[in-house]
Amino acid sequence: MALDAYLENRKQAGKPLPLFWSRGHFRVRLEDGREPELRGWVARPFGIYHGSEAGPIPQGSTHRYTLAYLPTGRPVGTFRYARHCKALAADLARLWVRWGGNEPAEDPGPLIERFQREDL
């Protein structure tokens, strides 16, 4: 009950919602159409993996992390740091809570583009 009130207050204040991230596996639809099961961090309905829309890359190589929307397996955006993926996921979660947990009808494109500009 107290948690519900806390989350409702954060939503109404327009603040990002806190997400609990843990290690896990999930499927992502890559740009070539493959849907491999990747290892990364999961906070439903989002996942983060080390790589880009083209696929995973080995640890220790280029810093690239991709946020994916797990119900559709769709990559949302690729960033230099996992923390940027987590911040975007928190903002998107706030948006989607307003839509009852469903993907919103409003276009999240401007929000995603803002995060990508800040990632440069």
Side-chain angles (χ1 to χ4, degrees):
M1 222 183 211
L3 178 61
D4 291 336
Y6 169 75
L7 293 174
E8 185 63 30
N9 286 339
R10 284 189 71 90
K11 179 181 81 170
Q12 289 176 353
K15 294 182 179 178
L17 292 178
L19 297 173
F20 175 74
W21 293 92
S22 62
R23 298 291 284 173
H25 293 84
F26 50 90
R27 292 205 173 277
V28 176
R29 181 174 300 121
L30 302 176
E31 62 185 20
D32 64 2
R34 291 182 298 131
E35 292 188 26
E37 184 172 73
L38 301 177
R39 183 177 173 180
W41 298 273
V42 179
R44 301 266 177 222
F46 300 104
I48 299 171
Y49 65 93
H50 189 239
S52 68
E53 289 89 351
I57 55 177
Q59 289 291 350
S61 56
T62 315
H63 289 282
R64 285 282 160 222
Y65 296 90
T66 299
L67 177 69
Y69 181 59
L70 300 183
T72 61
R74 180 186 63 161
V76 176
T78 300
F79 303 93
R80 285 188 304 169
Y81 301 102
R83 70 176 179 260
H84 293 157
C85 292
K86 290 178 180 181
L88 175 58
D91 275 355
L92 288 173
R94 177 182 49 82
L95 254 180
W96 290 344
V97 162
R98 289 191 306 218
W99 285 86
N102 298 318
E103 195 167 352
E106 59 190 271
D107 181 19
L111 179 63
I112 295 167
E113 289 171 7
R114 186 190 74 182
F115 271 85
Q116 288 174 329
R117 278 193 311 270
E118 292 173 1
D119 189 50
L120 297 177

